[in-house]
Amino acid sequence: MSVQLNHTIVWCRDQQKSASFLADILGQQEPTRFGPFLVVELANGVSLDYHETGREIRPQHYAFLISEAEFDQIFGRIRAQGIRHWADPGQTRAGEINRNDGGRGVYFEDPDGHLLEVITRPYGSGV
């Protein structure tokens, strides 16, 4: 059996708000309940399982590989909702997208400060 990522837990303050934010931005189905988690399923079988906590949340980074057409749709939703975005993980190139490896990418934060990224080409795959 090859090793594959199946799921990861995303800590949040309000799982409905955070899981719905991700599902909406990415154009995925509404999150579903599994025990204490609110789950966002992705096309490749990986899920992000949102779990509420009252403790300090240390922001994590989650990157999503998408098509060029999906980038247009997702970036359109980011702009329509007035979500701040950057071309780089250091958040120094505000309002820009990157064109790394001949694709497009953008970073933005979720309601808990996790740094989300959408890219159309894996890093190191092209120009």
Side-chain angles (χ1 to χ4, degrees):
M1 178 172 105
S2 62
V3 176
Q4 299 179 17
L5 179 65
N6 177 263
H7 70 276
T8 190
I9 295 173
V10 181
W11 296 101
C12 62
R13 296 271 179 247
D14 179 332
Q15 64 184 182
Q16 186 65 55
K17 180 178 179 181
S18 295
S20 293
F21 173 85
L22 180 68
D24 178 57
I25 288 293
L26 296 183
Q28 299 300 296
Q29 292 183 348
E30 284 295 312
T32 57
R33 171 79 43 206
F34 180 73
F37 304 104
L38 203 52
V39 179
V40 177
E41 295 279 348
L42 302 178
N44 62 346
V46 175
S47 68
L48 282 80
D49 301 358
Y50 283 81
H51 194 298
E52 287 184 12
T53 183
R55 297 170 63 175
E56 176 186 357
I57 295 175
R58 292 191 178 155
Q60 299 293 313
H61 173 64
Y62 301 94
F64 304 93
L65 182 62
I66 59 174
S67 70
E68 288 289 337
E70 289 166 325
F71 185 92
D72 292 335
Q73 295 166 358
I74 292 167
F75 190 57
R77 288 190 284 270
I78 289 169
R79 290 187 310 186
Q81 293 182 32
I83 298 169
R84 292 177 18 162
H85 61 276
W86 300 266
D88 63 312
Q91 300 173 310
T92 62
R93 296 174 50 204
E96 299 179 35
I97 63 171
N98 69 53
R99 302 215 178 260
N100 298 338
D101 293 291
R104 293 183 290 169
V106 68
Y107 296 81
F108 57 100
E109 292 182 354
D110 83 347
D112 295 291
H114 296 299
L115 189 60
L116 308 179
E117 176 185 15
V118 290
I119 54 174
T120 61
R121 297 284 302 266
Y123 291 123
S125 67
V127 182

